[in-house]
Every structure is written in structure tokens, then in C-alpha cells.
Amino acid sequence: MLDQHTKEIVKSTIPLLESAGPALTQHFYQRMFTHNPELKDVFNLAHQHTGGQPVALFNAVAAYAKNIDNLEALSSAVERIAHKHTGFLIKPEQYAIVGGHLLASLKELGGDAVTEEVLTAWGKAYGFLADIFINREAQLYQQTAAKKGGWQGTRRFVIKAKQAESSVITSFLLVPEDGMPVVEFIPGQYLSVSINNSQLGNQEIRQYSLSDAPNGCSYRISVKRESNGKVSTLLHDYYQEGDVIDVVAPAGDFALTAANDTPVVLISAGVGLTPMKSMLNQLLSDSHNSQITWVHACEDGQQHAFKACVANQVVENTDLTRFVWYRKPLATDLPAEDYDFEGTIELAKIAQWILPNAHYYFCGPLGFMKVVKQQLLALNVPESQLHYEVFGPHSAL
């Protein structure tokens, strides 16, 4: 455990951290990639360019300093990050590299305010937190590898089928090259795909939500073509049926946990429907004993993935209800058939389906999820019944 003197020194640096802001972590990443370029094969460089990862790391560092007397408040964040790290195959020895550059960045940006005593305290605090992550990640690696069909590291998977789900989303059915079983997952979790391709400057690892219920023999991911997405473009245009890619075992703390007799509402926008589709398929496979409500928002009919599939599931299951919003319907989109509402999502329009005892799972762009959370709270849904996933660096809603 950390001694109280160390905690007090760390807390005393909070004003310094806040004055530096994300510039601190931007400096950290620049420094680390300069001195340890091999880590470019681990970190998602696209998130560096957008600035999302430096902001997320700064928020995590600041939250650690502010809660160093009550680390239990950070337990959910630790679990989420540990899962992310296993998807990137983070190793214990990499924590020492990160810690060294973080302390150096504090000194270089903090100047005289960062004394040797401050560096020593932060060194102890960082080491303590690193040990928590190292131990939890070791547990996750071991637990996954020990399960039937489990493995650690990467495993070669063949693209058995490639299916366009909309104008921007394509599904990839992946089967293990060795023909052996695959470890099951909880709907809501993601698969990490490691891409080594001459068109990329470095190895790139991307995490894509699984979009079907577990079956023990294959996985399905559904990938949106991003306008500047190097990896998503490669997957859409370059990789074909029969090609082989390296895959890391499923992970993630966003997971379907509602009891069988609990109403479930699945809310998504755009490609955020991928974990929702996995959850829906699992609920129907389990003959879920309560109401299921599917709520989806997208641009128009051309971008509406899994439209026919969900419509058929509604016909076949009396406890499943569907509501769809199109922001700008096309002339060919039929109201009451392809979609129910025009514009952006307004849950008050389906207030009778927003049940106080239901659990709500939602995913989509950050702004969308913030609006969804606000609307659900306004409809008197307890915050403890809200569950969401942020694609990319985490941000609180």
C-alpha cells in the first residue's frame, strides 16, 4: 500500500496537472514514440492523430491523483482498461517504459515545481498502479487461455465469409485456421485484430465488437469503413474470403448481464449496433423471458445495417419490438416499413417502452450516447441500469 506521505505529495500536484492539461500526455506520447518506436506497433496511432488518446490518458492520470485515497472509486476504470490492454497484448515490462517516460514528461513540463520528492512520490504511485494492472491482466490472460477454445497471444483466423451489411458496414466471419474450437464470449465484448500489411507503416491492432451470439466455432465482426481509416479500408478493399489474419481472444467489460426476466432495451446509432446485434441474437437464442426493445438510429436506408435480419426477428418473436430513426431518409425509404421516425433520436416518442425496471445498453458516437443518457435519466430510468460502450479512448458521458 502507498504511505500517506506519498499520497499527500501526489495530491499536491493536482493543480500542476490541471494547468498542464492534455499537453502533458501529448508530450508523453511524443517522447515515448521517439525513444521507443517499437511501441508504435502496440498503440493505435489513429487515436494519437485525433488527440483522443492523450486526452483519455490525461483524464486517467488526473482521476488517479484525485482518488488516490479511495482507489475503489476507480475499480470500474481499472477493469475496463485492463481488458483493453489484454486486447493489445500489453506486457509487464512495457509498464516500466511507460512509467519512465511519464515521470520524465512531468519533469520536463513541470520544471522547478517537480522536485525529486515529487518524482519519487509519483514513481511509487505509478508503480503501485502498474502492479494492479499487471496482476489483473495476468489473471485475464490466464483465465481466457484456460477456457475451452482459449488462447493467449495471437491466433490465425481465416476469413470464411465477407458480407456487406450496408453501404458502409461489412461483416467478416472468422474461423480458426487450426480448426479447433474458439473460446466463448459475453455479448457486448470485442475482438482484437492484428494487421501486418505493407500498406501500413506499423503493425496495427484494432478492436471490433463481436456482432453475433457466441457459438464456439467462429466469430463475426462488422466493420465500418471510416473515411480516414487505414485498417478499416484495408479490411473492406484488400482482405477477401480465404485470407488469414491474426486475432487476439475476446475481451471487454461491456457485456450483457441482464437477468432472464428483466426487460432489455438495446439502443444504437450507426456502427454502434454491432454489440447490440450480438446481445439481441443471444437474448433470442436464450428465449429471454421479458420484453426486448431494439432502438436504432442511422443516416438513411443505405446505411441501415442488419435491417432485414432484425425485421425478420421482430416477426418471429412477439416479445421483440423495433423502433428506427433515419436522420435524412432517402426518397426510396418507406416510413413505417423501413423506419419509424425522421430526424435525431427522441426517446420520449416511445416513452411507453421505456420501462423503469428495464436495463438499457447503448452504443454509438459519443454525442449520441450523451443525449441518450440525458433522455433516459429524464424519463426516470435509474443510472445504475444504464450500460454503454465507447468505441476508442474512453470518455465519461
Side-chain angles (χ1 to χ4, degrees), residues 296-345:
H296 182 59
C298 60
E299 189 70 14
D300 53 46
Q302 288 187 356
Q303 296 193 26
H304 187 176
F306 300 113
K307 177 171 64 175
C309 179
V310 174
N312 289 335
Q313 289 173 315
V314 170
V315 172
E316 295 169 358
N317 297 274
T318 55
D319 287 333
L320 173 61
T321 303
R322 181 199 73 164
F323 297 103
V324 175
W325 270 261
Y326 283 176
R327 196 176 74 86
K328 290 185 177 180
L330 303 172
T332 53
D333 292 332
L334 302 177
E337 182 174 330
D338 296 317
Y339 68 100
D340 302 286
F341 304 103
E342 183 175 349
T344 57
I345 197 164

Side-chain angles (χ1 to χ4, degrees), residues 223-254:
V223 180
K224 179 186 177 184
R225 180 197 294 272
E226 300 290 351
S227 57
N228 296 311
K230 294 180 180 179
V231 175
S232 67
T233 298
L234 274 175
L235 287 171
H236 275 251
D237 296 342
Y238 179 84
Y239 286 90
Q240 304 299 326
E241 294 178 4
D243 288 342
V244 176
I245 57 176
D246 292 326
V247 173
V248 182
D253 68 326
F254 178 60

Side-chain angles (χ1 to χ4, degrees), residues 47-62:
H47 293 156
Q48 303 298 323
H49 299 319
T50 63
Q53 189 60 55
V55 170
L57 178 60
F58 171 76
N59 290 338
V61 171

Side-chain angles (χ1 to χ4, degrees), residues 27 33 53 196 216 234 258 262-263 332:
H27 180 86
F33 290 141
Q53 189 60 55
N196 287 281
L234 274 175
T262 300
T332 53

Side-chain angles (χ1 to χ4, degrees), residues 10 13-22 24 58 61-63 65-66 106 122:
V10 169
T13 65
I14 292 173
L16 174 64
L17 293 175
E18 292 178 334
S19 65
L24 170 66
F58 171 76
V61 171
K66 292 175 181 178
L106 276 171
W122 263 105

Side-chain angles (χ1 to χ4, degrees), residues 108-140:
E108 290 164 3
L109 267 66
D112 293 340
V114 180
T115 63
E116 285 303 315
E117 187 179 39
V118 167
L119 288 175
T120 299
W122 263 105
K124 289 181 180 178
Y126 173 82
F128 179 78
L129 184 61
D131 284 343
I132 292 175
F133 278 115
I134 289 169
N135 292 333
R136 179 58 182 143
E137 288 157 23
Q139 289 178 342
L140 292 172

